[in-house]
Amino acid sequence: MEFTPAEARRRVAGTDWAALAAQSDEHGCAPTGPLLTPEECAGLAALYDRPELFRTTVDLARHRFGSGEYRYFTHDLPAPVAALRAALHPRLLPVARDRAARLDRPAPWPDSLPEWLERCRAVGRDRSAQILLSHGPGDWNALHPDVFGELVFPLQLVIALDAYGTDCTGGEFLLVEQRARAQSRGTATVLRQGHGLVFTTRDRPVPSRRGWPAGAVRHGVSTVRSGRRRTLGLVFHDAA
């Protein structure tokens, strides 16, 4: 079946987005329903071995980010990647604006994703940020926030392309949230094949007696114990 924009919107609509927003508020991340079939996951994972589709490859060990690799797509995105990104944006936009309001920050994101990307490009942010990540046995990703400058969308989404327990073990998605005047809180999530996980890019509002201070959030990947773990990262801004 051809992966059309209409099909992407149908699948995205299968998630309870009000419940997702509430769970994201509680934990800093929240799962979607199924977005890709196992066959589609396999097709996207196989693209990793076609370097001509990507603008650059990042060796995590070389940069002391962990171990493993990821590759940034060019702007000529595969149809499922482009369609899902476009379908997810209007669902995540109200969550982003609500967070900005609670943090008393500007919400610079227009209704249209293309218009927002044009604003990014106008200030030199014109490189694709959509990525495929590949981790093998012993690989891991250090805890980090994603820093993209001022023009940033506060939510991202990762989709597992391999089946946990069958294709790989370990490699849980890690999220650590810094809390005011308290110890940090960590969450480990097993990604389900074809399902997405919405997570915080940099920080998010956390309730306190003084209102809604920003809690810094870092994410990473635990050590892969066996197999190969491929994931698709969808980012709703462009990179410098």
Short mmCIF file of all heavy atoms in Angstrom, two decimals, residues 157-182:
data_model
loop_
_atom_site.label_atom_id
_atom_site.label_comp_id
_atom_site.label_asym_id
_atom_site.label_seq_id
_atom_site.Cartn_x
_atom_site.Cartn_y
_atom_site.Cartn_z
N LEU A 157 9.64 13.13 18.25
CA LEU A 157 9.03 11.81 18.25
C LEU A 157 10.03 10.80 17.70
O LEU A 157 10.72 11.06 16.72
CB LEU A 157 7.76 11.81 17.40
CG LEU A 157 6.93 10.53 17.43
CD1 LEU A 157 5.45 10.85 17.59
CD2 LEU A 157 7.14 9.75 16.15
N VAL A 158 10.11 9.64 18.36
CA VAL A 158 10.97 8.56 17.90
C VAL A 158 10.10 7.33 17.64
O VAL A 158 9.15 7.07 18.39
CB VAL A 158 12.08 8.25 18.93
CG1 VAL A 158 11.52 7.84 20.27
CG2 VAL A 158 13.05 7.21 18.40
N ILE A 159 10.39 6.61 16.57
CA ILE A 159 9.65 5.41 16.19
C ILE A 159 10.62 4.24 16.13
O ILE A 159 11.66 4.32 15.45
CB ILE A 159 8.94 5.57 14.83
CG1 ILE A 159 7.98 6.75 14.86
CG2 ILE A 159 8.19 4.29 14.46
CD1 ILE A 159 7.34 7.05 13.51
N ALA A 160 10.29 3.15 16.84
CA ALA A 160 11.13 1.95 16.80
C ALA A 160 10.89 1.20 15.49
O ALA A 160 9.75 0.95 15.11
CB ALA A 160 10.79 1.04 17.98
N LEU A 161 11.99 0.85 14.81
CA LEU A 161 11.89 0.11 13.55
C LEU A 161 12.18 -1.38 13.72
O LEU A 161 11.95 -2.15 12.79
CB LEU A 161 12.84 0.72 12.52
CG LEU A 161 12.62 2.21 12.21
CD1 LEU A 161 13.63 2.69 11.18
CD2 LEU A 161 11.20 2.47 11.75
N ASP A 162 12.68 -1.77 14.88
CA ASP A 162 12.95 -3.17 15.18
C ASP A 162 12.10 -3.61 16.37
O ASP A 162 11.69 -2.79 17.19
CB ASP A 162 14.44 -3.38 15.50
CG ASP A 162 15.30 -3.11 14.28
OD1 ASP A 162 15.22 -3.90 13.32
OD2 ASP A 162 16.05 -2.11 14.28
N ALA A 163 11.85 -4.92 16.46
CA ALA A 163 10.99 -5.47 17.50
C ALA A 163 11.82 -5.82 18.73
O ALA A 163 12.75 -6.64 18.65
CB ALA A 163 10.26 -6.70 17.00
N TYR A 164 11.47 -5.21 19.86
CA TYR A 164 12.16 -5.48 21.10
C TYR A 164 11.92 -6.94 21.52
O TYR A 164 10.80 -7.43 21.47
CB TYR A 164 11.66 -4.54 22.20
CG TYR A 164 12.43 -4.65 23.49
CD1 TYR A 164 13.56 -3.87 23.70
CD2 TYR A 164 12.04 -5.54 24.49
CE1 TYR A 164 14.29 -3.97 24.88
CE2 TYR A 164 12.75 -5.64 25.66
CZ TYR A 164 13.88 -4.85 25.86
OH TYR A 164 14.59 -4.96 27.02
N GLY A 165 13.01 -7.60 21.93
CA GLY A 165 12.90 -8.99 22.37
C GLY A 165 13.06 -9.99 21.24
O GLY A 165 13.35 -11.16 21.49
N THR A 166 12.88 -9.54 20.00
CA THR A 166 13.06 -10.42 18.83
C THR A 166 14.27 -9.97 18.01
O THR A 166 15.19 -10.75 17.75
CB THR A 166 11.80 -10.40 17.94
OG1 THR A 166 10.68 -10.84 18.71
CG2 THR A 166 11.97 -11.33 16.76
N ASP A 167 14.26 -8.70 17.61
CA ASP A 167 15.37 -8.17 16.83
C ASP A 167 16.49 -7.63 17.71
O ASP A 167 17.65 -7.56 17.27
CB ASP A 167 14.88 -7.05 15.91
CG ASP A 167 13.83 -7.53 14.92
OD1 ASP A 167 13.98 -8.65 14.41
OD2 ASP A 167 12.87 -6.78 14.67
N CYS A 168 16.15 -7.18 18.91
CA CYS A 168 17.15 -6.59 19.80
C CYS A 168 16.66 -6.68 21.23
O CYS A 168 15.46 -6.83 21.50
CB CYS A 168 17.43 -5.13 19.43
SG CYS A 168 15.97 -4.05 19.57
N THR A 169 17.62 -6.60 22.16
CA THR A 169 17.29 -6.45 23.58
C THR A 169 18.13 -5.31 24.13
O THR A 169 19.17 -4.95 23.58
CB THR A 169 17.57 -7.73 24.38
OG1 THR A 169 18.97 -8.05 24.27
CG2 THR A 169 16.73 -8.89 23.88
N GLY A 170 17.70 -4.76 25.27
CA GLY A 170 18.32 -3.54 25.76
C GLY A 170 17.92 -2.37 24.89
O GLY A 170 16.96 -2.43 24.12
N GLY A 171 18.66 -1.28 24.98
CA GLY A 171 18.37 -0.12 24.14
C GLY A 171 17.09 0.59 24.51
O GLY A 171 16.44 1.19 23.65
N GLU A 172 16.72 0.56 25.80
CA GLU A 172 15.52 1.29 26.22
C GLU A 172 15.74 2.80 26.06
O GLU A 172 16.86 3.31 26.19
CB GLU A 172 15.19 0.97 27.69
CG GLU A 172 14.78 -0.47 27.94
CD GLU A 172 15.95 -1.41 28.13
OE1 GLU A 172 17.11 -0.94 28.13
OE2 GLU A 172 15.71 -2.63 28.27
N PHE A 173 14.66 3.50 25.80
CA PHE A 173 14.71 4.96 25.70
C PHE A 173 14.75 5.52 27.12
O PHE A 173 13.90 5.19 27.96
CB PHE A 173 13.49 5.49 24.96
CG PHE A 173 13.47 6.99 24.81
CD1 PHE A 173 14.05 7.59 23.70
CD2 PHE A 173 12.89 7.80 25.77
CE1 PHE A 173 14.05 8.97 23.56
CE2 PHE A 173 12.88 9.18 25.64
CZ PHE A 173 13.47 9.77 24.53
N LEU A 174 15.75 6.35 27.40
CA LEU A 174 15.93 6.91 28.73
C LEU A 174 15.57 8.39 28.73
O LEU A 174 15.92 9.12 27.79
CB LEU A 174 17.38 6.75 29.18
CG LEU A 174 17.94 5.33 29.22
CD1 LEU A 174 19.42 5.37 29.60
CD2 LEU A 174 17.15 4.46 30.20
N LEU A 175 14.91 8.83 29.78
CA LEU A 175 14.60 10.24 29.95
C LEU A 175 14.83 10.60 31.42
O LEU A 175 14.33 9.89 32.31
CB LEU A 175 13.16 10.54 29.54
CG LEU A 175 12.75 12.01 29.50
CD1 LEU A 175 11.81 12.28 28.32
CD2 LEU A 175 12.06 12.40 30.80
N VAL A 176 15.61 11.63 31.66
CA VAL A 176 15.91 12.08 33.02
C VAL A 176 15.49 13.54 33.15
O VAL A 176 15.89 14.38 32.33
CB VAL A 176 17.40 11.92 33.35
CG1 VAL A 176 17.71 12.54 34.71
CG2 VAL A 176 17.78 10.45 33.35
N GLU A 177 14.70 13.82 34.15
CA GLU A 177 14.14 15.16 34.36
C GLU A 177 14.71 15.76 35.63
O GLU A 177 14.67 15.15 36.70
CB GLU A 177 12.62 15.05 34.47
CG GLU A 177 11.92 16.36 34.67
CD GLU A 177 10.41 16.15 34.69
OE1 GLU A 177 9.90 15.62 35.69
OE2 GLU A 177 9.76 16.50 33.70
N GLN A 178 15.27 16.94 35.49
CA GLN A 178 15.79 17.67 36.64
C GLN A 178 14.65 18.39 37.33
O GLN A 178 13.88 19.11 36.71
CB GLN A 178 16.85 18.68 36.18
CG GLN A 178 17.49 19.48 37.30
CD GLN A 178 18.55 20.42 36.76
OE1 GLN A 178 19.27 20.10 35.82
NE2 GLN A 178 18.63 21.60 37.35
N ARG A 179 14.53 18.20 38.64
CA ARG A 179 13.44 18.81 39.41
C ARG A 179 14.00 19.80 40.40
O ARG A 179 15.05 19.58 41.01
CB ARG A 179 12.63 17.72 40.13
CG ARG A 179 11.96 16.74 39.18
CD ARG A 179 11.09 15.76 39.93
NE ARG A 179 11.90 14.91 40.81
CZ ARG A 179 11.41 14.20 41.82
NH1 ARG A 179 10.13 14.24 42.09
NH2 ARG A 179 12.21 13.45 42.57
N ALA A 180 13.28 20.90 40.57
CA ALA A 180 13.75 21.97 41.46
C ALA A 180 13.84 21.46 42.91
O ALA A 180 12.90 20.86 43.43
CB ALA A 180 12.79 23.16 41.39
N ARG A 181 15.00 21.71 43.52
CA ARG A 181 15.23 21.39 44.93
C ARG A 181 14.91 19.93 45.24
O ARG A 181 14.39 19.59 46.30
CB ARG A 181 14.40 22.31 45.84
CG ARG A 181 14.80 23.78 45.72
CD ARG A 181 13.91 24.68 46.55
NE ARG A 181 12.53 24.65 46.08
CZ ARG A 181 12.08 25.34 45.02
NH1 ARG A 181 12.91 26.09 44.34
NH2 ARG A 181 10.83 25.26 44.66
N ALA A 182 15.22 19.04 44.29
CA ALA A 182 14.97 17.61 44.49
C ALA A 182 15.91 16.82 43.58
O ALA A 182 16.52 17.36 42.65
CB ALA A 182 13.51 17.26 44.16
#
